[in-house]
Amino acid sequence: MINPQIGKGRATGRVTLSAVARHAGVGTMTASRAISQPERVSQELRQRVERAVAELGYVPNRAARALASAQSGVIVVLIPSLSNAVFTDVLSGIADALDADGYQLLIGNTGYSELKEEKLLGVYLQSNPDGILLSGLTHSKRVTQMLASSSVPIVSMMDLADDPNQLSVGFSQFDAGYSMTRYLIDKGRRRIGFIGAQLDERTLKRAEGYRMAMANAGLADPRLEVMVSDPSTIALGAELLGRMLAVTPDCDAIFCCNDDLAHGAIYQCQRRGIQVPQQLAICGFNDLGASAWMNPSVTTIGTPRYRIGFEAATLLRSVIKGESIATTRIDLGFTLIARESA
């Protein structure tokens, strides 16, 4: 679990080169050489130092400031996509919240990859950032170690943490998935399919909410799920609708984990002469701009993306400045928007 280090000074808790050297059983100069000039030490020494670096989560501080408490004026923001409108809205909120304070943003696109997130964070921590904004709650062991050892304040966005020591701003992805499925059940739909793509932690939590609602209604059927790890696109939505109907032709509603999948599903229905919503209801998630103008318009979950970015950045700024905060967990909720498609 990531520790936001609330109330701790920037100078405490950071793993030093000396600590790495002690852990590896070598001198500080040897450890430094193994990291910066590995060709100048033996393979055995290099491996010992590399193990110590990995186990302690050490990150070189290239900013080389005289005092560890000096502020860099840099905020690191890691998001999984720069092309997805969901995260460009979040970035807009972050930029607006921090603009007056003159912070510089280091924005990294992880591409939904844990390895890329590790590499980006390792590079960005060398700039001695004042704070970090992360997408989601789940990260690799290596990322968790680097964050814990850095003592940099962290706010997680898009979801809500259970740990009261973890700063988070967002909404319950599980509840949103449950609510949309319950809406379709209340509309009289019984064979409700779920189409998921990318399979990041947020999609998986929406799927969990869907499963719970279906199970509670006695309607659960694993054949009604089509889940793939491919990036979410309109074309993929059309393809996955075809897969769904090939396995469960009696499906009477489909909950898509993103609006672009829902758009593709609707286009596929139109090509096949399937009436929406009379024969097949289609729902999406995130309320993208085009969803209100589709024909039929898309029933979806509206998410407060700009506000998530703005409130997360505002909370982070307060922690950096040592100000008191009312809560570590800000739930901005979601809105079920009923339109013509369901």
Side-chain angles (χ1 to χ4, degrees), residues 62-74:
R62 291 182 182 173
R65 294 180 177 272
L67 297 175
S69 59
Q71 292 191 335
S72 63
V74 170

Side-chain angles (χ1 to χ4, degrees), residues 162-232:
D162 294 326
D163 184 351
N165 291 319
Q166 187 172 359
L167 302 171
S168 62
V169 178
F171 61 96
S172 171
Q173 302 281 341
F174 176 92
D175 288 350
Y178 186 97
S179 294
M180 179 57 82
T181 309
R182 188 66 246 180
Y183 168 82
L184 291 169
I185 293 170
D186 291 343
K187 284 287 187 178
R189 307 289 174 160
R190 291 297 177 266
R191 298 291 289 165
I192 303 168
F194 182 87
I195 288 178
Q198 197 68 66
L199 305 190
D200 58 274
E201 61 178 310
R202 290 169 293 283
T203 292
L204 295 178
K205 287 182 178 180
R206 294 167 201 166
E208 289 174 7
Y210 156 82
R211 292 188 194 108
M212 180 65 75
M214 293 290 281
N216 288 348
L219 302 174
D221 183 347
R223 295 177 301 166
L224 288 167
E225 295 184 31
V226 177
M227 307 273 279
V228 298
S229 59
D230 306 58
S232 179

Side-chain angles (χ1 to χ4, degrees), residues 2-4 131-134 147-148 150 152-156 166-167 316:
I2 299 167
N3 186 348
I132 300 173
L133 293 166
L134 295 175
L147 292 171
S150 71
V152 178
I154 302 154
V155 176
S156 298
Q166 187 172 359
L167 302 171
L316 181 63

Side-chain angles (χ1 to χ4, degrees), residues 8-217:
K8 293 186 70 175
R10 293 290 310 281
T12 64
R14 188 182 185 95
V15 177
T16 64
L17 181 61
S18 296
V20 171
R22 287 195 301 271
H23 196 75
V26 300
T28 303
M29 290 298 294
T30 301
S32 176
R33 191 175 299 115
I35 293 169
S36 61
Q37 298 174 298
E39 70 279 0
R40 296 186 59 186
V41 301
S42 68
Q43 182 178 355
E44 188 269 338
L45 279 177
R46 184 171 66 251
Q47 290 176 343
R48 283 163 58 186
V49 173
E50 286 173 350
R51 282 196 298 270
V53 167
E55 291 170 4
L56 296 179
Y58 173 73
V59 178
N61 182 6
R62 291 182 182 173
R65 294 180 177 272
L67 297 175
S69 59
Q71 292 191 335
S72 63
V74 170
I75 300 294
V76 168
V77 184
L78 295 184
I79 58 173
S81 173
L82 288 174
S83 59
N84 189 328
V86 170
F87 295 102
T88 56
D89 289 345
V90 171
L91 287 175
S92 294
I94 292 170
D96 286 349
L98 298 177
D99 182 63
D101 290 300
Y103 284 108
Q104 298 298 310
L105 300 181
L106 277 180
I107 300 171
N109 175 14
T110 67
Y112 294 94
S113 165
E114 286 189 348
L115 181 59
K116 192 170 182 180
E117 184 177 53
E118 290 175 7
K119 291 180 177 179
L120 285 170
L121 187 63
V123 172
Y124 288 171
L125 281 174
Q126 295 174 29
S127 297
N128 197 33
D130 294 337
I132 300 173
L133 293 166
L134 295 175
S135 299
L137 304 171
T138 304
H139 306 279
S140 71
K141 182 178 179 180
R142 171 65 174 153
V143 165
T144 302
Q145 287 175 330
M146 286 192 288
L147 292 171
S149 65
S150 71
S151 297
V152 178
I154 302 154
V155 176
S156 298
M157 304 179 293
M158 307 304 292
D159 208 338
L160 299 172
D162 294 326
D163 184 351
N165 291 319
Q166 187 172 359
L167 302 171
S168 62
V169 178
F171 61 96
S172 171
Q173 302 281 341
F174 176 92
D175 288 350
Y178 186 97
S179 294
M180 179 57 82
T181 309
R182 188 66 246 180
Y183 168 82
L184 291 169
I185 293 170
D186 291 343
K187 284 287 187 178
R189 307 289 174 160
R190 291 297 177 266
R191 298 291 289 165
I192 303 168
F194 182 87
I195 288 178
Q198 197 68 66
L199 305 190
D200 58 274
E201 61 178 310
R202 290 169 293 283
T203 292
L204 295 178
K205 287 182 178 180
R206 294 167 201 166
E208 289 174 7
Y210 156 82
R211 292 188 194 108
M212 180 65 75
M214 293 290 281
N216 288 348

